[in-house]
Structure formats: structure tokens, C-alpha cells
Amino acid sequence: MTGTATGTTAPHTAAVPLSEVELSIGGMTCASCAARIEKKLNRMDGVTATVNYATEKAKVAYGGGIAVADLIAMVEKTGYTAEEPPPPAAPTAEASEEGMAGDDEPLPLRQRLRVSLVLSVPVILMAMVPSFQFDNWQWLSLTLAAPVVVWGALPFHKAAWTNARHGAATMDTLVSVGTLAALGWSLWALFFGHAGMPGMRHGFEFTIARSDGSSSIYLEAAAGVTTFILAGRYLEAKSKRRAGAALKALLELGAKDVSVLRGGTEVRIPVSRLAVGDRFVVRPGEKVATDGIVVEGASAVDASMLTGESVPVDVTVGDPVTGATVNAGGRLVVEATRVGTDTQLARMARLVEDAQNGKAEVQRLADRISGIFVPVVLVIALGTLLTWLFVTGDATAAFTAAVAVLIIACPCALGLATPTALMVGTGRGAQLGILIKGPEVLESTRRVDTVVLDKTGTVTTGRMRLAKVVTAPGVEEDELLRLAGALEHASEHPVAQAVAAGAAERVGGLPVPENFENIVGLGVQGVVDGHAVLVGREKLLRDWAIELPAELAAAKASAEAEGQTAVTVAWDGAARGVLTVTDAVKETSAEAVAALRALGLRPVLLTGDNRAVAESVARAVGIDEVVAEVLPEEKVAVVKRLQAEGRTVAMVGDGVNDAAALATADLGLSMGTGADAAIEAGDLTLVRGDLRVAADAIRLSRRTLATIKGNLFWAFGYNVAALPLAAAGMLNPMIAGAAMAFSSVFVVTNSLRLRSFN
């Protein structure tokens, strides 16, 4: 999956850049089919392939002169179909309705199941209830059961024949051989034995029972097994589509058309025709067509379907908006900055799909087992038949036990254990604003014991804000803010902008300064409402022979001790006040740190800021361990030092300078509100800029991993326990078929429980 050469690949291919393609695979009916295709593809020089039974896709990295056509030819040579999936088109309402009817209700399979069920029920009842056995009832059973075994089980027979031509055996081989053997035995007993005689009666045992082989028929086992397995396949197909519903919903979130401004006139066009730089109109209630910047208007935007955040976010001119979010307020004009596959929605969908197509290490083991399981089962079935014949001489009991072994051993649940849980877990994560990049990430979340939190933009907002206003005696707070804010409004410095924004919020409109001058490294000066105003460092005031009085000096020292930035203000030759500015701690950060601790993680605050600032923030959110005053390139060294101490480290960050540390950590969690480089480097992306989601992401990942392991335990345990029972003659073949079908349905249903994760 990583696109690197495997150990079996020729050395010269490792240096060749690999291309990647995703193929849609047709004709797979069980996990061993996927294992077989994967094995054949990986035998090609320069090819690394992962085949996923649940998603019916193969992700292939290839090079060394291999073409996509060669890959497709290899799949077809193996007995299956392959094609490159077409680019996703925006679905219409009609298409969506058809999809519900066609995709969620697999029509041919449903029809086959219904007919088989109607025909099988009387056959089973007549075999199980002696009072229903009228004279010549066995011939009616044959009439009803034959279409079920021949037509109802036709997909199994076709797949078994195709595989046999290629020298392979799959689950379909077991089902086909088992049902045809049961039908064949019954035909022999009816036409050449005593079973066809009028007045023949037939008992039913949940375990096998010795009897005269020539008077025993197994039509109820053949028909019942076929129907049970068809039912299992049908429920499995529906459940697989439900498991992938979150990704499908994600892909369908975007707007279908958009009103673009052309020469001042609105023109309605499909979203696919939007280009970067186009300006488009978003009215109240409409979806934002693509990622962009607001150039006109103000509104509240509901991003809940994309980020999981229920509270609409206020936006105005200059603010970014994301495609597929909903305009909940006024009219907006947005300039497109990303279109098509570059949008955040498209990237989210791509990440989720990549994760669903991957395999955890534990699933690779399951695939290897299921790949060799079927031939082993065929040998066990033959051994069971011969052993029973040798020990008891009872052909009926021997045949029954052998058929039960064939039916019970199908390894479908093994193949579904990981992909279905991954599909549901990653899909649910996408709905909550959590993108899991791959199944290997799940393994990392289990081992993590330390979480390193970048300060700026992760624990704090990353934006300076006005915190405190301290005035000299006789000075009104509003006057101090109005004069200082007016001067700072003309500066582009982040601290100045924080003062100006805070002043405007508290006192309203600000006057326009005259003779404005920016003094580099010290502050600003100018004339506001006839007053000569100075705003900046204390040194700027001293240059004008202005000293801070004791109360203002104390306020400045106190602010700096807490890690805040102190801005002094003077006018008309006297110091008038001190304004403190700080990078605000996010309201949810303390709650997030507590949630991370509850998961058994030890939080560490990492920042390039001075120690006073870092420790102030750490105290506010409940972090004991602080690493401050580190350069961006030193963040990697900090992560490596923690790892060298024996810790398994998760890193949460959002900036370009966090990317290397995110990649170095055992688990990287990148804030989706941050830089693209950080998002690409992370293993988990938190679409919403809320640190609480980090705890949710780890909880969801751990829950998904636990579900996978529970599924695999059930699937392995089922096969290990059931095979000896069948071989020992303790299972009727029909009961074995029902149990096998239930095993697959159980695994998928267990995975679907992840949809309720909150």
C-alpha cells in the first residue's frame, strides 16, 4: 500500500518511481478470492497490490514497464474482472433513488434468495417433521429442491468451476461441492436405492445418525444450505453498502450547480465548470460550491456535515469558507480558491477511501490464512470421509460428516472482519470531522502513552487578543482604548491589530489618525483628535522622556510574568495606561487535556515561545510538563528524545513547522484548520480546530481496532471450534450452513455498531 518495493521485488525496481491505480474488481465472492488476486498481482515484477474484499477494489503500485492493461489482464487471467473506476459524477436525485433500489438491494441476489426460500421451506419442513411425510413426499422434495441447488446456487457453481479451471479453490468450491454432493447422493438413493419407494419415512437429527445409506436423502441439507448461504450473502451485501454509506454521503455533500458572476450578471453553471478565481453567489440556505474567500457580505456558515461542529461559524469579508458547508444567514459573494479534486471535501473523501482500502497487519495474517484455508478444508473433508468409512463402515454417516466439514469451514467472516470495521469506523470518523489515514494508524493509537501538544493554533487560538486594560488615575478606559486603537488600527503588526480589534469591539468606531509613523521595533506614533499619542514598548516612551508611574509599571511587570505582551500608551507627554495582549487559550483546551489524560495519555506542551508564556498556558489547561523556547527544527529532536525514553509519542500540531515532528511521532494528529504540510504529515486529521476532537479521534481509533480484533477472534474461533465438531459428526450439514452464514452476518453487524460512536 505504501508504494514501495517488497522484499520479493527485484532490486532494480526499487529506484523506479511507482505509479498508483485503483481497480474495481468483479466476481469476488469471498476472502480467499481477494487473497488469490492479491497473490497473483504481487508476483508481477515491480507490483505491490492490496485487494480489499469488502470494498471490491484493488490498490496497485506498479512500475518497471508494467501498464494498467497488464494488471487488468492478470486479474482476468485469474478468473475475475477488473476495470479502472470512472471519475465520480455528481449524482442527480433520480440517480440517488436508483442507487437506493439497485445498490442497497442487490436485485439478482434478492430474486435468487426469494425463489430459493419459497422452494426450500417445504423441503425442510417435510424432512424435519415426520407427520408431513405423505406417500411419495420425497419426489416432491426433489422437484422443489433441484431448482434451488442448480439455479439458486448457480453463482457458487460458476465461481467454483472458474476457480477449478485456474487450479484454485475458494469458499464457493466448498459450497458447490457440498450441495452438489448432497443432491447427487439423494439422486442415487432415490433412483437406485430404497429412498424412492412409496411410504418411505425420514427422521431428522441435529447431529448425524447412522442409517441405511440407500434410503437416506439430503435434499433438505442441499436446499437449506443454499438458501442460508444466499441469505448470508444478501445480508452481507446490504451491510457492506451500509458500511460504506458514510463515504458515499461525504461524496454527495457538495453543491451540484452554482451562480457565477459574469460581468456583474449571475449565470447558473454546473460546479464542475468552476475555475479558480471565479466569483460566485451563495444565498441563505444554499451550499457553498467550493473552497474560497468571502469577498462580499457577512453570514453564519453551518459546517456540521463536514466537521461535526454543530455551532455555525460567523464569516465576513476576507474569511475562508469550505465547499459543501451551508450558508445559514446573509448573501455572500465568494472567490474560488480551490476547485475539483483540490477542495477540502475531495481531499477528505480521498483520505477516507484510502484508509478503507488499506489493511492492518492483523488482517494480512487473516488473508494469508484464508488463502490456504480452503485447500486444507478439502483435505480435511476427504480425511473425514475416509476415517468414518474406515472406523464405522457407515457410508451415510461418513458422507454427512464430510459435507458438514465442507459447509461449516467457509472463511468468509475472516475476510470481512477488518474491512467492514474499517469502512464503518473511518466513515463515522469523517462524519465527526476525524480523518483516519490508514489501518496501521489504529495499531499506533493502542500503544500511545504520551501526547505532545503544539501551543500556537492547537492549545491556543493562534490569534492575539486584547486581554486587560489598566489606566492611570483620572484616565477613562474608553478614551484610552479609542486613542490607542485608532493609532494601532493603522499598523499591520499582529499585536497592533489585536489592540485595534479589541478597542473597536468595546468602544465602537475609531477616529482616523494624522501624521502616523511606524517606529520599527518600538511601536507607533501620531496625532489623534489633537493629542500626540505614543503606543508601543516602554523604551518608546522613554525616548520621549516619559516614565511609567508605579501602578502602570507593576501592571506591565505582572503581565509579562504571565507571559502576556504589555503595550504602553501615552499622550500629551504623560503615560496614560497599559494594554496587555495574549494568544488566547481555546475555551475547549482544558477539557481536551482532561479527556486525553482519561485515555491514559501524558500531555506535554511544546512551543517556541518563552517559558513564562508556555507555563502560563500550561497552568490554564492543566499540563505539568512543558518544553519551551525550541526552534522549529528542534521539535523533531524533542519527539525523538521522548521516544528514546521509552515513550510512544502522539503529536498534535497545525503549522508548517510541525510537519516534521508529526511525521516523526508514532502517531501524528494534524489540525485540519492548519497548514497543508501538517495535514499531509499527520496520521489522523482533525477537520475541526478543536483539541477535544484529538481525544475523540484516539477513542474512535481504539474502538475500531477493538472491533477488528473482536471480529477476528470470532471468525478464527468459529472455524477452529466448528471444524472438529463437524468432523466428529456432531453437526447436521444444514445447521452447519446456517451457522456459517450467521458467522459472516455477525461480523458485519458487529462492525456496524461503530456507527453509533459519539
Side-chain angles (χ1 to χ4, degrees):
M1 178 165 175
T2 58
T4 57
T6 64
T8 57
T9 305
H12 70 275
T13 63
V16 179
L18 297 180
S19 302
E20 281 199 350
V21 67
E22 188 176 77
L23 301 176
S24 293
I25 306 295
M28 289 194 299
T29 53
C30 66
S32 47
C33 296
R36 187 159 157 261
I37 297 169
E38 188 173 297
K39 185 177 180 181
K40 291 283 189 181
L41 287 172
N42 282 321
R43 281 181 177 172
M44 300 174 72
D45 287 337
V47 172
T48 304
T50 301
V51 180
N52 190 313
Y53 169 51
T55 58
E56 298 177 347
K57 289 179 181 176
K59 189 165 186 177
V60 189
Y62 62 98
I66 297 288
V68 174
D70 299 326
L71 302 173
I72 292 174
M74 176 56 75
V75 175
E76 290 175 344
K77 185 179 174 184
T78 312
Y80 304 88
T81 63
E83 61 180 5
E84 289 188 75
T92 60
E94 292 83 359
S96 297
E97 288 173 10
E98 288 172 12
M100 286 300 291
D103 289 346
D104 291 347
E105 298 281 344
L107 197 57
L109 187 54
R110 183 177 60 182
Q111 288 176 337
R112 208 174 288 272
L113 171 61
R114 283 179 173 175
V115 172
S116 298
L117 183 63
V118 168
L119 295 177
S120 297
V121 168
V123 176
I124 294 170
L125 286 175
M126 284 188 287
M128 292 179 69
V129 184
S131 59
F132 288 174
Q133 295 173 4
F134 52 88
D135 287 348
N136 295 316
W137 66 274
Q138 65 271 40
W139 295 103
L140 176 60
S141 287
L142 176 63
T143 305
L144 296 174
V148 176
V149 179
V150 176
W151 176 80
L154 188 60
F156 310 134
H157 304 324
K158 279 184 175 179
W161 173 246
T162 300
N163 288 316
R165 283 168 48 211
H166 290 89
T170 67
M171 167 192 159
D172 296 292
T173 307
L174 303 182
V175 176
S176 179
V177 170
T179 54
L180 288 177
L183 178 64
W185 179 285
S186 301
L187 288 172
W188 176 83
L190 285 168
F191 287 99
F192 302 104
H194 306 309
M197 300 295 291
M200 188 274 280
R201 296 294 181 264
H202 197 293
F204 181 85
E205 299 283 345
F206 280 93
T207 59
I208 64 172
R210 296 189 184 189
S211 61
D212 177 11
S214 64
S215 63
S216 298
I217 57 175
Y218 290 95
L219 294 171
E220 80 285 354
V225 164
T226 300
T227 302
F228 280 129
I229 295 176
L230 281 174
R233 287 276 174 92
Y234 175 70
L235 292 173
E236 180 186 306
K238 286 193 70 175
S239 298
K240 278 162 61 178
R241 282 159 177 77
R242 285 175 63 199
L247 177 59
K248 184 178 177 184
L250 193 65
L251 290 167
E252 292 178 353
L253 277 180
K256 307 301 180 284
D257 50 26
V258 58
S259 292
V260 181
L261 293 175
R262 301 271 197 246
T265 305
E266 291 185 29
V267 180
R268 202 79 182 170
I269 65 169
V271 168
S272 58
R273 287 171 53 192
L274 260 183
V276 173
D278 280 347
R279 294 192 172 191
F280 57 92
V281 177
V282 189
R283 292 183 175 81
E286 288 185 339
K287 289 181 178 178
V288 178
T290 193
D291 299 357
I293 300 290
V294 177
V295 294
E296 184 183 317
S299 181
V301 172
D302 178 2
S304 58
M305 73 291 293
L306 203 62
T307 66
E309 174 57 73
S310 59
V311 180
V313 179
D314 291 329
V315 295
T316 186
V317 174
D319 289 336
V321 288
T322 304
T325 55
V326 177
N327 179 10
R331 178 181 182 271
L332 296 174
V333 177
V334 179
E335 182 174 311
T337 56
R338 286 177 174 171
V339 296
T341 56
D342 292 331
T343 63
Q344 184 173 338
L345 177 65
R347 290 165 67 200
M348 283 176 64
R350 196 157 54 243
L351 284 171
V352 173
E353 193 162 24
D354 284 348
Q356 292 183 350
N357 284 336
K359 291 186 181 181
E361 200 56 44
V362 69
Q363 177 63 22
R364 295 185 186 280
L365 173 63
D367 284 351
R368 286 195 293 272
I369 291 172
S370 63
I372 62 172
F373 195 70
V374 174
V376 169
V377 168
L378 289 172
V379 171
I380 292 173
L382 180 61
T384 300
L385 178 68
L386 295 175
T387 301
W388 274 82
L389 284 172
F390 178 76
V391 172
T392 68
D394 187 343
T396 304
F399 172 78
T400 306
V403 170
V405 167
L406 289 173
I407 300 300
I408 199 73
C410 298
C412 247
L414 278 180
L416 291 168
T418 292
T420 52
L422 261 182
M423 288 172 73
V424 182
T426 54
R428 181 60 181 150
Q431 292 175 330
L432 298 174
I434 301 164
L435 303 184
I436 302 170
K437 285 202 174 175
E440 62 281 351
V441 172
L442 306 178
E443 300 279 359
S444 301
T445 61
R446 180 175 57 86
R447 298 189 300 268
V448 164
D449 55 30
T450 301
V451 58
V452 175
L453 305 174
D454 172 59
K455 181 183 77 70
T456 307
T458 302
V459 177
T460 65
T461 62
R463 297 184 300 274
M464 306 297 281
R465 68 173 180 86
L466 181 63
K468 294 179 184 177
V469 180
V470 182
T471 60
V475 177
E476 292 289 334
E477 185 175 301
D478 284 359
E479 183 182 19
L480 179 72
L481 288 172
R482 196 168 61 84
L483 297 180
L487 205 57
E488 294 282 59
H489 187 64
S491 171
E492 295 181 355
H493 194 282
V495 172
Q497 289 296 304
V499 171
E505 184 180 328
R506 299 190 194 188
V507 302
L510 301 173
V512 178
E514 300 172 19
N515 302 324
F516 173 83
E517 185 179 352
N518 182 35
I519 302 161
V520 179
L522 293 178
V524 293
Q525 64 185 41
V527 177
V528 182
D529 288 350
H531 299 286
V533 183
L534 302 171
V535 184
R537 295 179 183 272
E538 186 178 1
K539 187 176 184 303
L540 176 64
L541 274 62
R542 284 179 180 164
D543 288 347
W544 286 81
I546 300 172
E547 293 293 331
L548 286 180
E551 60 271 26
L552 293 185
K556 175 177 176 293
S558 173
E560 289 175 343
E562 293 177 6
Q564 298 179 343
T565 300
V567 179
T568 58
V569 183
W571 65 78
D572 297 341
R576 308 291 181 170
V578 172
L579 305 173
T580 64
V581 174
T582 184
D583 179 7
V585 174
K586 292 180 180 177
E587 293 179 0
T588 57
S589 291
E591 183 183 341
V593 169
L596 291 168
R597 284 188 184 278
L599 290 170
L601 303 177
R602 179 177 169 186
V604 178
L605 187 68
L606 179 64
T607 180
D609 272 356
N610 66 65
R611 180 157 292 278
V613 173
E615 290 182 346
S616 172
V617 171
R619 280 195 301 273
V621 298
I623 296 177
D624 303 322
E625 191 172 348
V626 177
V627 181
E629 300 174 11
V630 294
L631 297 174
E633 57 269 24
E634 293 174 340
K635 290 186 176 182
V636 173
V638 172
V639 172
K640 287 183 176 178
R641 175 175 61 78
L642 292 170
Q643 290 171 328
E645 293 173 3
R647 302 199 214 177
T648 304
V649 180
M651 167 82 186
V652 186
D654 76 325
V656 173
N657 57 13
D658 297 324
L662 286 167
T664 304
D666 300 285
L667 179 69
L669 294 91
S670 55
M671 307 293 273
T673 51
D676 287 353
I679 293 171
E680 291 300 323
D683 301 307
L684 289 162
T685 299
L686 316 177
V687 178
R688 193 160 83 242
D690 186 338
L691 189 57
R692 288 178 301 180
V693 184
D696 291 338
I698 292 173
R699 279 199 307 116
L700 174 61
S701 298
R702 288 180 175 178
R703 180 85 62 84
T704 305
L705 181 64
T707 301
I708 288 173
K709 291 190 170 181
N711 285 349
L712 287 171
F713 175 81
W714 167 265
F716 276 120
Y718 166 83
N719 283 123
V720 168
L723 266 176
L725 289 176
M730 299 175 69
L731 281 178
N732 180 283
M734 188 175 67
I735 304 303
M740 190 280 294
F742 173 75
S743 176
S744 295
V745 174
F746 172 85
V747 163
V748 176
T749 305
N750 188 45
S751 298
L752 288 172
R753 293 190 306 123
L754 286 167
R755 296 173 75 183
S756 62
F757 177 89
N758 291 309

